[in-house]
């Protein structure tokens, strides 16, 4: 099992969750507003840095992880240069 943690522009959150669902994954969690800084700059929700990001995460099989990563890479190519999206893959040792 693998956990995908996807940091995406808040404006693209629905697009990301729809992508996940189109690939047959219907169990995921969302944190709709996160702030931070990265390669595309600061997303702090302030007057100076007004954007925010969202975090979407899901746990899937290793086969589904490869499928979703490929789809997310393609999705990232459609973003504007200052939007940015990252997906992190973490191993899941057990599910309780």
């Amino acid at each position: 099992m693998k956990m995908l943690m996807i940091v995406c522009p808040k404006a693209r959150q629905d697009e990301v969750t729809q992508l996940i669902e189109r690939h047959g994954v219907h169990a995921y969690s969302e944190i709709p507003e996160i702030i931070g800084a990265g390669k595309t700059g600061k997303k702090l929700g302030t007057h100076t840095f007004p954007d925010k990001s969202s975090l979407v995460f899901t746990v899937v099989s290793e086969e589904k992880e490869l499928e979703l990563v490929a789809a997310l890479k393609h999705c990232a190519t459609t973003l504007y240069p200052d939007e940015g999206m990252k997906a992190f893959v973490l191993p899941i040792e057990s599910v309780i």
Side-chain angles (χ1 to χ4, degrees):
M1 303 289 288
K2 300 287 184 166
M3 176 184 282
L4 271 71
M5 293 181 58
I6 306 149
V7 178
C8 63
K10 181 168 176 44
R12 302 285 187 139
Q13 180 181 350
D14 288 341
E15 186 177 336
V16 169
T17 57
Q18 289 170 11
L19 178 147
I20 290 169
E21 289 179 349
R22 277 196 310 272
H23 286 272
V25 177
H26 303 288
Y28 56 86
S29 296
E30 302 173 71
I31 301 175
E33 291 186 0
I34 59 172
I35 57 173
K39 188 175 182 178
T40 58
K42 294 180 180 182
K43 314 288 189 208
L44 303 176
T46 65
H47 180 69
T48 306
F49 302 103
D51 293 335
K52 291 183 182 176
S53 297
S54 294
L55 177 64
V56 179
F57 52 100
T58 185
V59 175
V60 295
S61 67
E62 292 188 21
E63 296 80 21
K64 189 60 71 173
E65 171 244 329
L66 297 174
E67 181 182 325
L68 283 175
V69 166
L72 289 164
K73 283 182 181 178
H74 180 267
C75 180
T77 66
T78 68
L79 300 177
Y80 295 109
D82 65 336
E83 285 187 300
M85 179 170 69
K86 292 289 184 188
F88 303 91
V89 179
L90 302 121
I92 298 297
E93 294 184 19
S94 64
V95 178
I96 300 172

